[in-house]
Amino acid sequence: MDIINIERFRDFFQGYQDENGRYIYIEQIQRMSLEGLTSLIVDYDDLLRFDPELAGKLRRDEEQNIDPESTIEEADSALEDVLKIEDRSYVLEAQKKKEAFHVRFFNIPMLVDLRRLRAVHLGHFIAIEGIIIRQSVVKPLLVEGKFQCNICGEAQTISQEEGIYREPSFCVNPECGKKGLFNLLAEESKYTDLQSISIQERPETLPPGQIPRTVPARLVGDLVDTVRAGDRAIAFGILKMKKAEKRGRLATFDPWLDVNFISSREKEFEEIEIDPETEQQIIELSRDLSIHRRIIRSIAPSIYGMEIIKEALATVLFGGVSRVAPDGMKQRGESNILIVGDPGVAKSQLLQFIYRLAPRGLLTSGKASSAAGLTAAVLRDPETGEFALEAGALVLADRGICAIDEFDKMNPIDRSSIHEAMEQQTVSIAKAGIVAQLNARTAIIAAANPRFGRYEDTRPPVENINLPPTILSRFDLLFVIKDEPNEEVDRKMARHILELRRGHILEVAEPAISMELLRKYISYAKQHIQPSLTDEAMERIEQFYLDVRKETDETSAIAITPRYLEAIIRLSESQARMALKEDVTIDHVEAAINLLQTSLEQVGKDPLTGRVDIDILLSGTTKTTRSKMQTIIDIIKEESRRSSTEIVSVQRLKDLAKEQNVEEDFVDKVLEQLRTNGEIYSPRDGFVKLA
Ligand code: ADP
Ligand code: MG
């Protein structure tokens, strides 16, 4: 260690004054013993201002023999010296406990793109931004081993570098000098806490279609558990290379970051820079009276039709306002939406578009693209073999939008933990000594294929969608896209797709707002606009809810539940945000109601009565319908048992049904449905038989 550098660091700690004339570092050092801290956090810019040459020694320079790692050690040593002056007993006590003091630097100007991490960065003090995707359990790491010679009993201390276990090569007792064996005196050795993490490129900086890069990193001492899986963080540290384990292997570059300081960033949407000129453009755009229509038209313009789904997607992109009620209950602002559709109706294309458009968008597939799946998993860390918590897609998309294709194909673990993620927006995990609750404040836009290949109208949604009702009920909006031949629509769509192919994009599908601008517009809206309901908006929502609930009383079909009340609020707020309005007005509420009603009609309509009934969505049929249907089926069974041919007359069936208060129309509809389901057939006109 260079004594002069240590002295200069001492001067810096004792002599640096900020613009208000405060000695901020000496104040920090004085507080360390009171707060039981072992590290001092230093802004690199302060050091640069105070002693540029010393600051320069944190930059590696092989020619001048400058190694940042030694410079950091010198800073640590200076800290200990100054701390000794301030509180000698605290230092002595720490030494007894074998604790070390550290200086931690932030604002190191060498920010390296994870994707551009190369061999030239080895040994450099760099900064890396990314998402923590994995965190291991915390384990003690041997820093200094005390070893005893098995033959003469002489003890010696060996420092353990970079976590690789090293025994003495020979006994230090000149009379012994044997090469072994040695015992580690575990109680007299020095340890520190160690946690391995993995830092991954942020989805928003990832070029579309690329697999994100990851770099392993190590946190020691008081840094462990200061960040969580799913956090966006900036890490400052020295890039090191893993020592080759075996000979004969390729000497490849296998880097890891020895973290000096790490901090998570909680800022929202800071990623997209909006210059004043663009801001002006955004504000002007928002004044356009047809801004809603223009935004909707800008959603996947190359995909034909699907206006209502595009409107829903646009709305969800903006999102409502998340709030915490006075009693601490969290109310999510993000809406979840599910699109179920026949194969080849451009579901995947829509998701692709949304993912590219959304600030902080993430695209994944239910068919586990990573072992952590959609939520989170405890896995063995490939680096260390320790158990580690790995964040899944919804955690990584925190404060963003998660597009999930093939949602119905998600793995069983996700199936059981997705409920919490969708409603509470957290993912809790307790396994193999890891207990954690991760944030998943994300809007979910999911797509699924129908269970039987094609969506069958005669079956209720629960049968068509391969997902349990408990999951379905957590979607605010649910849409069905059917691929039905229709000459006029087919002609228009064919024309649309063909024209696109010929490059006639301008005439047919000119986006009203460019993707680049819309992306900034959304980001701006989410950052600056926090709409709240006006009195009239509140009244309108209340009225709608009460009206629909009243129908419920009369028909005993449950048309709406309180969950959808919250959905309308979220969607109304999103609608206001689309126009950069702080006030949610009746127009916004009407648009939200329209979305919800369309969605409910698509999936909650009883195929027999034509009425919306939430029970349809959740259990397949309504209670009354179910019992009436059962009555008819019972009659058919009973009658076919009596008849030798097992054939039942429809007229007799209707007569018997009437006796039990089931009207003729209804019998016809039920028979129709049973026929399509293949449960009965007609051997002759006017007669049915069980299949
Ligand atoms: P899915 O995921 O629903 O099975 P895809 O997204 O893979 O379907 O779409 C299949 C193809 O059909 C895509 O190339 C898509 O562009 C085209 N396509 C389907 N419907 C439309 C439409 N309405 N407008 C334009 N292209 C469409
Ligand atoms: Mg698909």
Side-chain angles (χ1 to χ4, degrees), residues 302-306 342-349 405 449 493 496-497:
S302 67
I303 293 172
Y304 176 81
M306 304 194 209
D342 291 340
V345 292
K347 296 185 298 297
S348 301
Q349 292 274 331
D405 208 349
N449 282 318
M493 168 149 15
H496 181 95
I497 293 175

